[in-house]
Amino acid sequence: LQRHLANVTDPFAVFYPLFKIHKTPVATRPVVSYSGSLLYALAVWCDDKLLPLAKAQNAYLASSFELKEQLSTLQLPPNARLFTADARAMYTNIPTQPCLDSIREYLEEHFDQFIHVRHETLLSALSIVMNNNFFRFGDTYWLQNNGAAMGAPPCPSWAMMYFASREDDSCDVFSDSILYYKRYIDDVFGIWLDRPGDDNAWQLFKNHMNRHALVWDFTERSRSAVFLDLTISITDTNEIRTDLYEKPLNLHAYLPPHSAHPPGVLRGMIKGMIYRFKTLCTRPSDQKQHILQFYRQLIQRGYKPDGLTPLFNEAVAQVYATDPTLRPLGAPPPRAPAQHPLFFHLQYHPNDPPSTDIQRIWRRTLFRPAGSRPLSDLDSSHMNGKIGIDRMIVCYNRAPNLENLTSSKRNLQFANGPTVSSFFDD
């Protein structure tokens, strides 16, 4: 906190809109960026301490990967139906004091489970952050009177904590009909047990969820649903099947080949995407289709087949290594993770020596120099025992791009138009 406060040059958060061009009509998402502001470090601290509370909630969902893993263990009866719900403008409709009261009550009821932070300190810090959202928009300055701001670090956990006890109550009241219920911030996914003539119960459940400050829009119960980046469906044999969902306006604007990124970025992106396809898609045929489609999309971005094909083969071999029929013959076992690594941070430039040269110099001059004791065997001056470093990891960060050099959301200026204040009455 002290280090951040010493470097603050502009105390205000900054407001800017993001346009939702996939909506009809086009809408905007209001964002208040805390980055670099006076309260940023305190907000990050609040997020770090509040997250364990959010994760402990019954409805908490971390990602579509976790959802897929949980759904794969369910045994569905024939009357199972899927539904989703979305909160309208969730952040700005969360009342500040009731949310603080909900967090306080939860901490009091589960005092012994959260000893990682003083409860009153966390509540006081949250009150400071959430009640003092002063931000700048153009040449105007504002204070948010109620609700939370998208862009404030603790807001995802804040939103989880506000509605957690309320949705638990709804699930308890309708426990005979709800087989599964999870929420990712403002998006709900559930499985409802459909019974003849229970339309009234379904409506009562929706009304029960909408008794509070938030308004939830529900989809109809169905054998298929779109949630996060998944299309989820119930098969004729009452099994869950998942496939990837992409919005129609997805441009697949992956990094182009002329971008000055370390070579490992492309390798990591390919492996990460193939892992995503394998993990989130139930059917191998869908996995294969997405891998081939991803390959074609990179070709369209300008990559050459002779460079891509080896990377795809390598990634497929690694991701599918648990399947003995797909693992290449003679493939070496995966490398054991380093126990005590040293991280060497560098800004990447394509004309600099490659990381292999840096690693070779490191090993020759520091890690295992000829005629000297290995670095890991030297005595540590600030801790008992040896230094113990067993590996150096070169960590690249990217150089400033054109957007960083030519514009900044913190210094957004409208050079060829009216000021923001001119749109408001005196």
Side-chain angles (χ1 to χ4, degrees):
L1 289 173
Q2 291 178 343
R3 184 171 63 252
H4 171 78
L5 291 174
N7 295 317
V8 171
T9 57
D10 180 1
F12 294 98
V14 176
F15 173 89
Y16 61 92
L18 292 176
F19 288 89
K20 302 180 183 180
I21 60 174
H22 60 285
K23 298 285 188 179
T24 304
V26 174
T28 58
R29 174 180 284 117
V31 178
V32 178
S33 173
Y34 269 55
S35 180
S37 69
L38 183 65
L39 291 180
Y40 176 69
L42 184 61
V44 170
W45 182 88
C46 289
D47 181 41
D48 179 67
K49 304 307 178 185
L50 191 60
L51 183 59
L53 278 70
K55 288 183 175 180
Q57 305 310 306
N58 294 326
Y60 178 83
L61 183 67
S63 66
S64 54
F65 291 94
E66 183 178 85
L67 176 64
K68 170 66 162 51
E69 182 180 6
Q70 293 179 6
L71 292 179
S72 64
T73 65
L74 294 181
Q75 299 293 326
L76 298 185
N79 61 333
R81 297 294 182 269
L82 313 179
F83 70 89
T84 63
D86 175 59
R88 297 184 195 172
M90 185 180 203
Y91 283 2
T92 53
N93 284 309
I94 296 176
T96 303
Q97 191 55 49
C99 187
L100 284 171
D101 293 340
S102 296
I103 296 172
R104 181 185 298 276
E105 292 172 7
Y106 184 80
L107 286 172
E108 290 174 352
E109 293 174 3
H110 304 82
F111 182 85
D112 295 337
Q113 298 180 28
F114 301 99
I115 59 175
H116 65 287
V117 63
R118 292 182 178 179
H119 298 171
E120 287 301 324
T121 302
L122 174 59
L123 291 166
S124 297
L126 283 168
S127 180
I128 292 172
V129 171
M130 307 310 290
N131 283 308
N132 294 278
N133 182 25
F134 290 91
F135 60 89
R136 174 165 48 85
F137 179 37
D139 63 335
T140 63
Y141 295 84
W142 305 80
L143 168 64
Q144 185 169 353
N145 291 326
N146 203 12
M150 183 172 293
C155 275
S157 299
W158 175 265
M160 189 71 223
M161 294 304 300
Y162 169 68
F163 203 68
S165 62
R166 294 159 175 82
E167 61 197 346
D168 283 351
D169 182 38
S170 295
C171 290
D172 287 342
V173 172
F174 296 90
S175 59
D176 290 341
S177 297
I178 297 178
L179 177 66
Y180 181 87
Y181 179 99
K182 290 293 178 178
R183 175 163 60 92
Y184 182 83
I185 307 179
D186 62 346
D187 292 311
V188 164
F189 174 82
I191 301 178
W192 181 274
L193 299 179
D194 205 10
R195 296 182 177 89
D198 76 342
D199 289 347
N200 184 55
W202 171 245
Q203 186 59 49
L204 288 174
F205 168 66
K206 293 190 290 184
N207 293 342
H208 203 273
M209 288 279 288
N210 281 311
R211 291 180 307 150
H212 311 285
L214 301 181
V215 177
W216 295 90
D217 294 319
F218 286 81
T219 60
E220 288 303 318
R221 297 159 292 174
S222 174
R223 293 183 69 87
S224 65
V226 172
F227 185 73
L228 301 181
D229 58 345
L230 291 178
T231 298
I232 307 169
S233 57
I234 302 175
T235 67
D236 294 338
T237 56
N238 297 312
E239 296 175 322
I240 289 286
R241 177 186 296 164
T242 58
D243 193 9
L244 289 184
Y245 169 77
E246 294 181 341
K247 293 181 178 179
L249 292 181
N250 189 343
L251 299 178
H252 305 289
Y254 302 111
L255 291 174
H258 56 268
S259 180
H261 281 75
V265 171
L266 177 62
R267 175 180 278 104
M269 179 177 67
I270 292 173
K271 182 178 179 181
M273 290 294 286
I274 292 177
Y275 174 80
R276 177 170 172 255
F277 301 148
K278 177 181 182 294
T279 306
L280 296 184
C281 300
T282 303
R283 296 184 297 187
S285 59
D286 291 332
Q287 300 171 21
K288 182 177 180 180
Q289 177 185 351
H290 288 298
I291 292 174
L292 292 175
Q293 185 180 33
F294 178 47
Y295 180 88
R296 298 186 190 104
Q297 289 162 352
L298 291 181
I299 294 294
Q300 292 174 352
R301 291 291 286 171
Y303 290 93
K304 303 300 182 184
D306 56 350
L308 279 184
T309 302
L311 295 178
F312 269 76
N313 288 337
E314 174 189 281
V316 168
Q318 292 175 347
V319 170
Y320 287 86
T322 54
D323 186 339
T325 63
L326 295 171
R327 186 171 182 176
L329 294 176
R335 180 178 181 177
Q339 298 298 317
H340 303 285
L342 174 71
F343 297 95
F344 183 39
H345 291 264
L346 283 176
Q347 186 176 101
Y348 180 75
H349 192 285
N351 293 334
D352 285 346
S355 61
T356 52
D357 289 352
I358 298 173
Q359 292 282 5
R360 184 166 54 251
I361 295 172
W362 144 262
R363 289 191 294 269
R364 187 173 65 244
T365 61
L366 286 174
F367 187 52
R368 294 186 182 278
S372 300
R373 291 169 62 188
L375 177 65
S376 59
D377 194 42
L378 297 179
D379 296 326
S380 173
S381 61
H382 66 280
M383 57 186 294
N384 296 327
K386 307 297 182 181
I387 290 179
I389 293 175
D390 57 358
R391 182 184 174 192
M392 183 183 74
I393 299 175
V394 179
C395 303
Y396 286 113
N397 62 285
R398 68 168 176 81
N401 57 26
L402 289 177
E403 180 184 9
N404 302 139
L405 297 173
T406 59
S407 67
S408 169
K409 291 184 175 68
R410 294 203 60 80
N411 296 295
L412 190 61
Q413 302 294 332
F414 303 94
N416 298 316
T419 61
V420 173
S421 59
S422 66
F423 290 89
F424 300 94
D425 295 332
D426 294 334

